[in-house]
Structures are given as C-alpha cells and as structure tokens.
Amino acid sequence: MSWTTSRGRVLGLLGILGFLATWEVAARSGLVNQTYLPAATTTLARLGRELGTPQFWAALGDTLITWSVGLAIAFLAAVALGAVVGLVPFLERATHSTVEFLRPIPSVAIIPLAVLIAGLSREAALMVVVYAPFWQVFVQVLHGVADVDPVARDTARSYRLGRYERLRHLVLPTALPYVITGLRLAASVALILTITAELVIGNPGLGRQIEVYRAAPDAAGLYALVLVTGGLGVLVNLATRMLERRLLFWHPSVRKEKAL
Amino acid sequence: MTALARSLVPTLRTVGLAAGLPVLLVLGWGLATQGSQSFYFPGPATVARTFVDTWFGPAFVQDVLPSLGRFGAGVALSIVIGIVAGTAIGTTPWLRELLEPMLEFFRAVPPVALVPVLMLLLGIGDSMKLAVIVSGCVWPVLLNTVEGVRGVDPVLTETSRSYRVHGALALRYVILPAASPRIMAGIRLCLSIGLILMVISEMFAASSGLGYRLVYFQRSFMIAEMWSGIVLLGLIGVVVATIFGFVDRRVLHWYHGLREVARG
C-alpha cells in the first residue's frame, strides 16, 4: 500500500480533497440539483449531527450484531463442514457437483423465502447473510486442506505422526492462510449482505435507515449514511487484514510483505 | 473384463459421484413433502410444473430477457471501464497514489446502499438499473487490473523495454497478458455481484424483470411460483459460472498449465 510512504500519504490526501471539492462544486454550481445531490459540506455537517443521535448508534449496533452473528455462523459451519468434507476424499467427490450448483445461487434469491418464513426480522436477514459467506469460506477450506505438500505428508507418515498430530502440524498450517483469506472475503460480503437485507427486508439497522431517508426524502441524511457504510466497509477490511498479519506472521506471504 | 467395460467403469463412477447427491437430495425433498400440506415448502414435482408454466411463455420475453440484457450490458460496461481505468491507474504511479484512498472507500461501500442514491439521481428507469450494476461490478475488475498491471514480472517489462517494445505494443503483448489471471479473477467476482445487483435493482420500483417477479410472487403468496423463481435464479447463476469457467480455461490455458506444472 502506498500509504506507507509520505509521498503516497500526501497524494492520497490530495485525492480525497479533490473528490470532495469536485462534489462540492458539482452541487453548488447547479450542475446536479441540490435536492438530489446535497453539497459535500452539507452532507458532512449532517453526518456530524447524525453521529450525535441515539437512533444512529442503535441502527449501527443492530447492523453490527446482525453482521457478526451471521459471519460467525457462516464461518464456524463452513470450517467444520469444510474440514470434514475436505479430509474425506469420497465426501469431497460426492459433494462436488452439489456445491458447484449451490454456490453461485445469488443470496438475494432467498430473500423472499426468508421473509415468508421469518417475517421482517433479524432471523430473515441472517438467512440471507449466512448463505454467501458460508460458501466462500467452505471452498477456501477445501482448497486449503487439499494443498498439503505431498513431501511433508509422506515425511509425517514415515515419522508415524498420529491423526491429531497430523491435523495440528500438517493440515492446520497449510489450510490456515486459505481459511483466513476466506474469512477476509466473507467479512466484507457479510457486511454488504447485512445492509442489503436491512434495505430490502426492513429489519432494523443502517440499511433500513437509508431506506427511511430515501422515502422521506432526506438526501443529506441518505448520503451521510452511505458514507458511514463505506467507512464501515473500510474498517472491516483493515481489521481483517490486521488479523491476517497477526495470525500468519510466520507465513512467507506476510513475511515478504514486511521485508519490502 | 473387456476393454469397453474397463473404460466404462470409471466413467460410471464419475457420473454416479456427480449425480448421486443431487438425486438423493431431490428424492429427500420429495419424500419430506409427500404427505405434508406445508404451505411454504411445495414438493419438487409441483415446483417443476410451476417452473414450466411460469417461465416458458410470455414471461420469458417480458421478464427474463430484459433482466439478462441489463445484466449483460452492465457487466460488459464494468469490464471495459474496469480494464481501461485499471490499466491507466496501474501504469501511472502518481495517479495510483492519488486515487488509492478513494478507491478503497468506494470499493467498501455496499453497492446496494447506492441503489437509493442512484434512484434519486437517475430516477427508476433502465439507466438506474444499469448504473447500479456498474457501480458494484466495476470495482473488482478495476482493482484486480491495477494489482495485475503492477505485479507484472520486472524481468518481463525490462526485457520488453530493451527490445524497445513500447506503448500499445507492450500493453497488448506484455502487460495485459501478464495481468490477465488477476483480471479474470476480478471478472469472476464481477459476474456474481452483477447477478445480485440485477435482482436487487429490480426489487425497487420496477414493473418487469426477475427481481420484480420474485417479490411479486412472494407478496401475493404464490409460493410455488416463488420457488420456481429461486430455482431459475440458481440456474442462471450456474449457467453464468459454467460459461465463465469455459472462457477462463480458454483465455488462461497457459496459466493453468503453468500452475499444474509448478504443482508437479
């Protein structure tokens, strides 16, 4: 990332300022009607006021709960099932076609079903939030478990490592980078789906608040909340990348990055 | 065993392994719904019949084709914009440093959150739906192109430079081929996001399209029809993934070959 150099930081800051300036000018000059595109300063001021309201923090909390619960369910289920399926060759071959069929089904396709079964609730949102990240992690676990170096496996066998030791010292280190990558992808997909579900289903959270402001119509509030969702996404990315560096400090891909 | 039988057994085993679980699942679904009169879960036979009745007919032209058209146009536009902008950004270091924080931010905005914004700016016509698809799909292609272009093997670029391969020639024969594995990875993501956004954009204030139909069936409690819509979306997802896999193998056959050799 270019943020590590001072030149990169200055240019990046210039880029942000340039974007805000363009936005401001486009709105103030009447290029775009201000009812549809409030000026950058108006939106940022509104964002400041929004941060002072309890409703905003309640919505943010709801979003974060749905997101974390959904991600946790998807991740744990995917790791458990993926490890079992990945370690048993017969299961891997028998489930392959089914997995390849279920995986590309867009998760929004189950929104109507979720609403019918669970109503306009967090449970309905969770059904949507769990689906896509589950497959993302599941496939990564399969790849990770399959990637064990044959030489290392034969070595372990000739040293008569037991089942547990092979899992601990052979499969886990090989699969961990894949699993963490899966978690990183899943975390951002789960966030996107959480907000999508709130927008479409209408369970409490930032997404529903966005829809409320759109219907009001309250353009400044709408833009302010969209900025918040973007910020949330950036935070999730940063956090998962940090987790990756922490857990995989021993892995060549992370060590190489540090040396550069 | 004859030669024919010997070659037949592995094929049969492959077919059995591929078809076994799906067949079992459908059978289980049929058995589970056999006696029950569950309102939400119709049996596979009912769904299959409804599927044919609902989608083979005027609905195909009215709803499915326009949806697929918007999906195709949006994805094509995203790929073109993503590759062109990504190459420009990836080959110009100062431009990359200037835009990187903004790109990181826009990539992180959930594309669906932009639906209300784009509805405000563009109304609820086709252009809004197209803009929604592009606004979500362009990022994976763009960012992967940037990374791919940046990550070209230095030996490759220096060799081509010493042979005085410049400009368009270098782009066509050195940079883009070297970046193509990353670009294809971006396009794969772009396709699945595009499908989701196609449905979502039609769930808001539309009068045709798959997303509109799906919501309509759900709100009027036409359960079997709704299930058939879910199945249709699943099938479209699978077909798109299969076509992509085919193109991917064609475009990147050299790359997959390399990887297999490297794996030994």
Side-chain angles (χ1 to χ4, degrees):
Chain A
M1 273 236 259
S2 55
W3 272 96
T4 42
T5 65
S6 60
R7 189 183 116 101
R9 233 170 277 160
V10 171
L11 276 173
L13 212 61
L14 271 179
I16 296 175
L17 288 177
F19 170 76
L20 290 175
T22 318
W23 177 3
E24 185 77 19
V25 169
R28 296 264 179 224
S29 68
L31 190 68
V32 187
N33 190 334
Q34 280 210 41
T35 14
Y36 301 136
L37 180 70
T41 43
T42 319
T43 308
L44 289 177
R46 177 58 195 268
L47 177 62
R49 249 180 299 137
E50 197 71 29
L51 291 179
T53 62
Q55 290 97 311
F56 169 80
W57 294 103
L60 183 65
D62 276 322
T63 299
L64 287 179
I65 290 173
T66 312
W67 170 74
S68 48
V69 171
L71 183 61
I73 297 175
F75 182 72
L76 294 177
V79 168
L81 279 175
V84 171
V85 171
L87 287 171
V88 184
F90 170 76
L91 282 181
E92 214 264 306
R93 293 188 59 190
T95 51
H96 182 76
S97 61
T98 314
V99 170
E100 285 307 306
F101 181 79
L102 290 177
R103 202 158 61 99
I105 295 179
S107 48
V108 290
I110 55 178
I111 286 182
L113 182 67
V115 170
L116 273 185
I117 294 176
L120 307 178
S121 63
R122 172 171 286 147
E123 286 71 35
L126 278 177
M127 289 171 71
V128 179
V129 174
V130 168
Y131 190 80
F134 171 82
W135 293 115
Q136 215 134 28
V137 180
F138 184 79
V139 170
Q140 285 287 326
V141 174
L142 286 193
H143 284 311
V145 172
D147 196 37
V148 172
D149 183 16
V151 177
R153 187 188 313 153
D154 292 345
T155 313
R157 196 170 294 154
S158 43
Y159 279 103
R160 299 219 181 143
L161 258 59
R163 181 179 290 266
Y164 169 77
E165 268 131 3
R166 258 184 295 168
L167 275 180
R168 168 73 188 79
H169 298 291
L170 198 62
V171 177
L172 185 68
T174 315
L176 199 58
Y178 287 87
V179 177
I180 299 296
T181 305
L183 177 66
R184 187 155 55 81
L185 296 173
S188 37
V189 171
L191 182 68
I192 290 174
L193 288 174
T194 305
I195 288 166
T196 304
E198 286 161 1
L199 245 161
V200 180
I201 297 177
N203 58 305
L206 284 176
R208 186 171 77 170
Q209 206 54 36
I210 288 179
E211 175 61 16
V212 168
Y213 284 151
R214 183 196 66 79
D218 176 355
L222 170 61
Y223 280 83
L225 285 189
V226 171
L227 288 184
V228 171
T229 59
L232 213 54
V234 172
L235 282 183
V236 167
N237 283 343
L238 287 179
T240 46
R241 255 181 230 162
M242 209 163 74
L243 184 78
E244 190 169 30
R245 231 166 291 150
R246 277 279 170 80
L247 283 177
L248 298 179
F249 65 92
W250 47 272
H251 196 264
S253 71
V254 174
R255 276 159 52 189
K256 201 173 94 194
E257 212 171 89
K258 217 176 262 171
L260 281 175
Chain B
M1 221 190 273
T2 64
L4 181 69
R6 220 176 298 139
S7 70
L8 214 59
V9 168
T11 324
L12 275 180
R13 185 176 301 150
T14 314
V15 171
L17 277 172
L21 189 60
V23 169
L24 278 180
L25 284 177
V26 172
L27 278 180
W29 175 16
L31 280 179
T33 49
Q34 185 74 84
S36 78
Q37 284 298 311
S38 168
F39 183 64
Y40 293 143
F41 296 98
T46 322
V47 172
R49 212 177 317 118
T50 327
F51 185 87
V52 175
D53 291 345
T54 313
W55 301 110
F56 288 85
F60 188 75
V61 181
Q62 255 167 36
D63 293 315
V64 182
L65 281 185
S67 285
L68 289 180
R70 285 189 285 259
F71 170 70
V75 164
L77 212 59
S78 309
I79 293 175
V80 171
I81 296 175
I83 293 180
V84 171
T87 313
I89 296 171
T91 47
T92 327
W94 66 267
L95 193 63
R96 201 187 72 237
E97 285 173 325
L98 190 69
L99 295 179
E100 189 165 7
M102 282 330 290
L103 291 179
E104 285 284 325
F105 179 79
F106 276 107
R107 179 181 63 153
V109 174
V112 182
L114 289 176
V115 174
V117 171
L118 293 168
M119 272 167 84
L120 267 184
L121 289 175
L122 300 171
I124 52 170
D126 271 355
S127 56
M128 177 279 268
K129 291 178 191 110
L130 215 58
V132 168
I133 297 178
V134 173
S135 70
C137 288
V138 80
W139 307 110
V141 183
L142 188 121
L143 293 166
N144 272 297
T145 309
V146 170
E147 288 302 311
V149 168
R150 273 182 68 195
V152 177
D153 185 359
V155 176
L156 216 60
T157 42
E158 312 225 310
T159 311
S160 68
R161 198 178 302 151
S162 54
Y163 279 105
R164 302 220 176 143
V165 179
H166 287 301
L169 213 58
L171 212 58
R172 167 73 187 79
Y173 290 103
V174 181
I175 296 177
L176 284 182
S180 57
R182 290 297 300 260
I183 296 179
M184 287 309 274
I187 292 176
R188 180 200 301 271
L189 277 172
C190 165
L191 286 173
S192 54
I193 297 176
L195 210 53
I196 292 179
L197 289 176
M198 172 196 94
V199 177
I200 292 280
S201 68
E202 290 164 355
M203 282 181 169
F204 288 92
S207 53
S208 74
L210 260 171
Y212 164 75
R213 278 286 145 203
L214 213 56
V215 172
Y216 170 79
F217 289 145
Q218 175 232 321
R219 292 202 177 136
S220 19
F221 290 94
M222 297 161 82
I223 305 300
E225 281 82 354
M226 184 194 86
W227 270 100
S228 77
I230 295 176
V231 170
L232 179 65
L233 262 182
L235 285 177
I236 291 175
V238 173
V239 168
V240 167
T242 313
I243 294 175
F244 175 82
F246 182 73
V247 173
D248 184 64
R249 267 196 300 282
R250 262 299 175 75
V251 174
L252 296 181
H253 61 96
W254 58 273
Y255 176 70
H256 293 309
L258 265 181
R259 295 247 315 217
E260 258 158 48
V261 171
R263 267 195 203 137

